[in-house]
Amino acid sequence: RARRHLRAMQLYVYMSLIRLALLAAAVAPTAASSDHAVKMQQIIGTARIAAGNGDTTLALASLDKLQAQLDAWRAAIAEAAAAAAAVPAAEAAVPEPPAEETAFSMNVTYVPDKCRRKSVEGSVMRVHYVGKVVATNKAFASSFHTGSQPFRFVLGSDEAPVAGWNEGLVGMCEGERRRLMVPHRLPYRA
């Protein structure tokens, strides 16, 4: 019985390590990492079913296979890192302001049914946002990628990460959504 308990603990530890590896694959996915991740998930499923059915021989064989797959993935990552290190890094291009000036604009995309109060200068704002460059549609900042905590600032102050917010968020209801087009002269303050 103690041996079975030890095997179950080993299976749990291996599965925890594999989950961490799969999370790493989700953070930096590549075709090769997703192939390894899928194979590892399949092997984990086989091991979990075997352990649940009391087939320790198959469960342990699956764990050995899982370790071999993890080693193969580790070797593939090391090989990719070595290949990336061999290629010289290109100098980052300094972005230039757009040829045409984008005018400041505000578009209200959602207004709640009840608006008990509207924001005024000096109001404490809590805002979720996604900042994108119009030309490339690439996000450069987002409150959703920082633990989903809204950004807090005082409207009209220098605390706003984008100077255009002080202009575009005045008169806003709680729960309202707006899309702001902010010209580069009202910059993002990191």
Side-chain angles (χ1 to χ4, degrees), residues 142-159:
S142 171
S143 64
F144 296 104
H145 295 101
T146 58
S148 293
Q149 295 296 317
F151 184 80
R152 185 180 177 280
F153 71 101
V154 176
L155 191 60
S157 71
D158 290 338
E159 297 173 0

Side-chain angles (χ1 to χ4, degrees), residues 117-125 154-156 166 169-172:
R117 61 183 176 183
K118 294 190 177 217
S119 62
V120 295
E121 198 166 312
S123 296
V124 175
M125 305 289 288
V154 176
L155 191 60
N166 289 326
L169 302 183
V170 172
M172 192 170 182

Side-chain angles (χ1 to χ4, degrees), residues 5-79:
H5 180 69
L6 178 63
R7 301 277 189 221
M9 290 300 292
Q10 286 176 330
L11 179 63
Y12 175 77
V13 169
Y14 277 122
M15 289 171 59
S16 297
L17 290 172
I18 300 310
R19 283 188 188 111
L20 287 173
L22 294 175
L23 284 173
V27 171
T30 65
S33 69
S34 63
D35 290 344
H36 287 286
V38 169
K39 289 176 185 175
M40 290 173 70
Q41 285 177 328
Q42 291 169 345
I43 296 168
I44 288 172
T46 302
R48 182 180 293 152
I49 291 169
N53 292 336
D55 188 353
T56 56
T57 306
L58 179 58
L60 291 173
S62 295
L63 290 177
D64 291 338
K65 190 174 180 181
L66 188 61
Q67 184 63 47
Q69 186 64 41
L70 184 60
D71 292 340
W73 192 5
R74 180 176 286 121
I77 291 173
E79 184 179 311

Side-chain angles (χ1 to χ4, degrees), residues 106-125:
M106 174 190 61
N107 180 17
V108 177
T109 59
Y110 172 78
V111 178
D113 294 334
K114 295 181 181 179
C115 183
R116 295 186 180 97
R117 61 183 176 183
K118 294 190 177 217
S119 62
V120 295
E121 198 166 312
S123 296
V124 175
M125 305 289 288

